[in-house]
Amino acid sequence: RSTLFPYTTLFRSSIKEYLWQIKDMKRRVAEKQSEIDSMRNMLTSISVRTDDERVQSSSDPDKIGSMISDILDRESELKILVSGFLRKEKEIAKQIDSMENYRHREILHWRYVEGLTLENIAVNFMHITFRHATRLHGQALIEFEKKFGKNYK
């Protein structure tokens, strides 16, 4: 136990930061998609005046055109985010898959690639106690750090 302690305290946060990039990028993609969906909903609620009544012009005479342009800009941003997310997810999943210990690969994959909680992993996938899952997770982080730490520090 004493040999694990230095790694646990020194490197755990930087390893987790690196691995949590997947979750962070996935969240940013979802936020951008939600923003686009919201703008599309607003676009469908804009009414076009069809009668011959004279209406005072607004500050943006082509409101629909402007919104479509904004949506297209955001969709371009989304494509870039998705591309970066897929690249990072593939990179981290490949690193996890190359680890020696099967149980370490398993717990890191479910935790960081799938984004599951340790409680969920322990009970529903690994059929172990939460305490054992926590210990296994710590060991897996140490193995990951030893193998890949130099790549992201």
Side-chain angles (χ1 to χ4, degrees):
R1 184 176 179 137
S2 61
T3 59
L4 296 180
F5 185 73
Y7 290 108
T8 304
T9 55
L10 290 175
F11 301 115
R12 184 169 283 182
S13 64
S14 63
I15 298 166
K16 286 180 179 180
E17 278 180 32
Y18 175 75
L19 293 171
W20 277 128
Q21 288 180 84
I22 294 173
K23 183 179 180 179
D24 182 52
M25 294 176 89
K26 192 180 286 189
R27 180 189 49 77
R28 289 185 11 224
V29 166
E31 287 171 354
K32 185 61 69 177
Q33 183 62 59
S34 177
E35 187 179 314
I36 291 167
D37 292 344
S38 176
M39 291 181 74
R40 283 188 178 139
N41 287 337
M42 286 177 21
L43 183 62
T44 59
S45 69
I46 295 174
S47 62
V48 177
R49 196 161 185 102
T50 58
D51 59 9
D52 291 334
E53 289 182 32
R54 192 162 184 201
V55 180
Q56 192 174 14
S57 66
S58 66
S59 61
D60 187 359
D62 188 13
K63 193 173 188 178
I64 293 174
S66 294
M67 285 199 75
I68 290 172
S69 177
D70 286 346
I71 290 170
L72 293 174
D73 289 345
R74 285 178 173 80
E75 285 177 339
S76 293
E77 293 168 8
L78 178 62
K79 285 179 185 176
I80 292 167
L81 282 174
V82 167
S83 176
F85 162 71
L86 293 174
R87 210 173 19 259
K88 183 55 72 174
E89 183 181 49
K90 183 178 179 181
E91 173 190 322
I92 291 174
K94 186 176 178 180
Q95 289 173 325
I96 290 171
D97 289 344
S98 74
M99 292 175 63
E100 300 286 325
N101 186 304
Y102 170 76
R103 299 293 270 181
H104 292 174
R105 285 194 313 263
E106 194 175 33
I107 201 160
L108 291 182
H109 175 82
W110 281 324
R111 182 72 178 125
Y112 298 101
V113 178
E114 300 298 329
L116 301 176
T117 64
L118 285 178
E119 295 89 348
N120 190 354
I121 296 166
V123 173
N124 297 314
F125 296 96
M126 298 185 84
H127 310 291
I128 58 177
T129 65
F130 173 71
R131 184 175 177 165
H132 184 61
T134 303
R135 185 173 34 254
L136 192 61
H137 178 251
Q139 293 167 352
L141 291 175
I142 291 166
E143 181 186 344
F144 191 90
E145 173 66 31
K146 286 179 180 176
K147 189 164 185 169
F148 299 108
K150 65 186 177 303
N151 294 341
Y152 61 88
K153 283 192 171 183

